[in-house]
Amino acid sequence: QGKLVESGGGEVQAGGSLRLSCAASGLTFSILAMAWFRQAPGKAREFAAAISMSGSTTYYADSVKGRFSISRDNAKNTVYLQMNNLKPEDTAVYYCAARHLNIVTDDRYTYWGQGTQVTVSS
């Protein structure tokens, strides 16, 4: 069945950058909308970014707009999240998610990765 595996998390100082990757397997990647969510300790999971099947449309939460960039490589079955100018409030577990066809900005995604930790120090 379908599986998503995140990588690229780690620890970085405020103002630094990280790039997260999410590799999909057992899925027809080209017909999936992809998204990134994040969850800080004691808080609800929240939407961060999403990208359409073709990569032509993207959406970002206001909290990350202008700093994060989502992209995809359908030939590699991989979606990326480039995170620049990181802030301590970006500290969270970041999850990759997928659903068929259309983007949504809530948690109605079919497939979820296990998450990767991002820690931003001050």
Side-chain angles (χ1 to χ4, degrees):
Q1 77 283 5
K3 182 165 63 178
L4 304 175
V5 179
E6 302 96 336
S7 62
E11 299 169 80
V12 65
Q13 291 190 324
S17 298
L18 286 172
R19 188 170 83 151
L20 306 183
S21 298
C22 172
S25 61
L27 298 166
T28 305
F29 190 74
S30 62
I31 62 169
L32 297 175
M34 303 294 298
W36 289 94
F37 291 76
R38 63 187 188 178
Q39 187 169 23
K43 301 187 71 176
R45 186 168 56 198
E46 66 175 358
F47 171 79
I51 189 166
S52 63
M53 294 182 293
S54 67
S56 63
T57 303
T58 58
Y59 289 90
Y60 298 95
D62 287 344
S63 58
V64 309
K65 196 173 299 180
R67 300 187 298 119
F68 290 12
S69 180
I70 189 170
S71 62
R72 67 191 294 161
D73 186 339
N74 285 0
K76 293 183 168 65
N77 289 173
T78 301
V79 65
Y80 305 95
L81 187 68
Q82 178 67 47
M83 305 184 293
N84 298 322
N85 192 25
L86 283 160
K87 304 175 184 296
E89 51 263 46
D90 296 319
T91 295
V93 177
Y94 283 71
Y95 297 91
C96 179
R99 71 190 308 274
H100 286 96
L101 301 180
N102 301 123
I103 290 170
V104 296
T105 56
D106 58 25
D107 63 355
R108 290 178 290 142
Y109 284 79
T110 306
Y111 306 100
W112 293 85
Q114 292 298 302
T116 186
Q117 177 71 47
V118 172
T119 301
V120 184
S121 63
S122 59

